[in-house]
Amino acid sequence: MTSTATSRDIAFIGLGIMGAPMAGHLMAGGHRLHLHTRTKSKVAALIEAGGIWHDTPGAAAAAADIVITIVGLPSDVESVYLGAGGIVDSAKPGTVLIDMTTSTPSLAVRIADAAAKRGIAALDAPVSGGDVGAKAAKLSIMVGGDEATFEQVLPVLQLMGTNIIRQGAPGAGQHTKMANQIVVACNMLGVAESMTYARKAGLDPARVLQSISTGAAGSVLLSGLGPKMLAGDFAPGFMIQHIVKDLGIAVDEAKSRGEDLKGLETALAQYRMLLEAGLGSEGTQALFKAYA
């Protein structure tokens, strides 16, 4: 993979299931990477390929023109950006910060405001597409923030995704991701309940899946995760503990505006039950287990 963009110093913080392949695409595109994650051993391959390790997020940010983060929880985002010695404290004026974590819209606004006071631009740019999209550089990237800043870093984002749309001001990317997760949650309920119904009706669920996956019921989740449900393959592309976090944010945002989204709340309740049963590290398709 090659890039037409000028080579940049990019700090990449958070190198898990999603972040590691995303960082790899940036390196393959000719950019110099400054790396930090909780467990250094997990990024040995990127370091061997030329990535530069830093012991703290702030140290990585200080060495970069662009800082990209994809961490776990909103509390992690707040800590790495706004904590003492964190990214906002350490980044040089003129740096662009891009948080690709699914986090809260209000925190995205706070980060943008704090960054602006130091002459730094910030975008919220959560992604959809899971580990498959990250590995294939075909993520959907939903961006909130200044339009000129978005255009400035678009060539970098294009190394990681194919559907990249600025949705509006700071926080708009996170609001768009909440809309995405609501569709995912309700669709996953439908897939799990459909396969459960077929099985308990005495049908061959795999044959049912063949029939319904190309009709009006068809979806990426039905075709991609339906077979995994039936095969008992619950390896994570996206973990239950992460969908619980995302759906919790969506419910809180909806309730703050007096919205009653019953499908979303039902999905969250089911996933929380699985999380409490110790299945947080399994993939979201393990929702099927709620109907066993």
Side-chain angles (χ1 to χ4, degrees), residues 77-140:
V77 175
E78 183 166 17
S79 175
V80 299
Y81 276 97
L82 301 178
I87 293 169
V88 171
D89 276 355
S90 304
K92 305 181 295 287
T95 302
V96 178
L97 314 180
I98 309 172
D99 182 31
M100 306 187 84
T101 315
T102 299
S103 183
T104 63
S106 60
L107 179 55
V109 173
R110 286 173 55 207
I111 290 170
D113 288 345
K117 291 175 181 176
R118 296 203 61 249
I120 299 166
L123 302 175
D124 49 290
V127 302
S128 182
D131 63 326
V132 174
K135 291 172 183 175
K138 292 184 178 180
L139 292 168
S140 176

Side-chain angles (χ1 to χ4, degrees), residues 129-217:
D131 63 326
V132 174
K135 291 172 183 175
K138 292 184 178 180
L139 292 168
S140 176
I141 305 177
M142 313 155 212
V143 185
D146 175 70
E147 185 170 5
T149 303
F150 169 70
E151 294 294 340
Q152 177 186 342
V153 299
L154 183 57
V156 170
L157 297 176
Q158 287 171 333
L159 292 171
M160 299 179 285
T162 55
N163 182 31
I164 306 165
I165 300 174
R166 177 181 171 270
Q167 297 290 341
Q174 296 295 353
H175 277 303
T176 304
K177 182 60 185 290
M178 291 304 103
N180 180 88
Q181 297 304 73
I182 290 167
V183 173
V184 169
C186 294
N187 199 349
M188 285 294 288
L189 279 175
V191 174
E193 292 188 359
S194 172
M195 294 299 95
T196 298
Y197 179 91
R199 182 182 62 189
K200 293 187 176 181
L203 302 173
D204 178 349
R207 290 178 68 84
V208 172
L209 190 60
Q210 285 182 301
S211 289
I212 68 175
S213 61
T214 59

Side-chain angles (χ1 to χ4, degrees), residues 1-291:
M1 184 182 300
T2 59
S3 172
T4 59
T6 302
S7 179
R8 310 290 293 271
D9 278 283
I10 300 175
F12 207 110
I13 296 161
L15 295 146
I17 291 174
M18 299 287 289
M22 293 163 69
H25 295 314
L26 298 178
M27 187 175 289
H31 298 291
R32 182 164 49 246
L33 260 62
H34 299 267
L35 307 171
H36 177 79
T37 196
R38 286 175 176 170
T39 306
K40 182 178 179 180
S41 61
K42 291 184 178 180
V43 294
L46 287 170
I47 293 171
E48 288 177 11
I52 302 166
W53 174 259
H54 295 268
D55 289 333
T56 66
D65 306 312
I66 297 171
V67 180
I68 296 174
T69 55
I70 184 163
V71 293
L73 301 171
S75 58
D76 299 319
V77 175
E78 183 166 17
S79 175
V80 299
Y81 276 97
L82 301 178
I87 293 169
V88 171
D89 276 355
S90 304
K92 305 181 295 287
T95 302
V96 178
L97 314 180
I98 309 172
D99 182 31
M100 306 187 84
T101 315
T102 299
S103 183
T104 63
S106 60
L107 179 55
V109 173
R110 286 173 55 207
I111 290 170
D113 288 345
K117 291 175 181 176
R118 296 203 61 249
I120 299 166
L123 302 175
D124 49 290
V127 302
S128 182
D131 63 326
V132 174
K135 291 172 183 175
K138 292 184 178 180
L139 292 168
S140 176
I141 305 177
M142 313 155 212
V143 185
D146 175 70
E147 185 170 5
T149 303
F150 169 70
E151 294 294 340
Q152 177 186 342
V153 299
L154 183 57
V156 170
L157 297 176
Q158 287 171 333
L159 292 171
M160 299 179 285
T162 55
N163 182 31
I164 306 165
I165 300 174
R166 177 181 171 270
Q167 297 290 341
Q174 296 295 353
H175 277 303
T176 304
K177 182 60 185 290
M178 291 304 103
N180 180 88
Q181 297 304 73
I182 290 167
V183 173
V184 169
C186 294
N187 199 349
M188 285 294 288
L189 279 175
V191 174
E193 292 188 359
S194 172
M195 294 299 95
T196 298
Y197 179 91
R199 182 182 62 189
K200 293 187 176 181
L203 302 173
D204 178 349
R207 290 178 68 84
V208 172
L209 190 60
Q210 285 182 301
S211 289
I212 68 175
S213 61
T214 59
S219 70
V220 171
L221 289 178
L222 182 66
S223 298
L225 296 182
K228 289 189 175 184
M229 288 181 181
L230 300 180
D233 177 1
F234 303 117
F238 192 71
M239 293 183 186
I240 286 173
Q241 61 189 358
H242 294 151
I243 197 73
V244 167
K245 178 261 293 184
D246 293 358
L247 300 185
I249 294 170
V251 166
D252 289 345
E253 287 290 332
K255 286 184 174 179
S256 73
R257 293 185 296 275
E259 299 165 4
D260 182 17
L261 303 182
K262 291 182 172 59
L264 169 62
E265 293 183 9
T266 299
L268 177 56
Q270 295 283 56
Y271 275 120
R272 278 180 171 158
M273 179 181 69
L274 295 174
L275 182 65
E276 291 165 2
L279 303 179
S281 62
E282 295 197 353
T284 52
Q285 69 273 22
L287 184 65
F288 193 47
K289 293 185 176 182
Y291 299 90

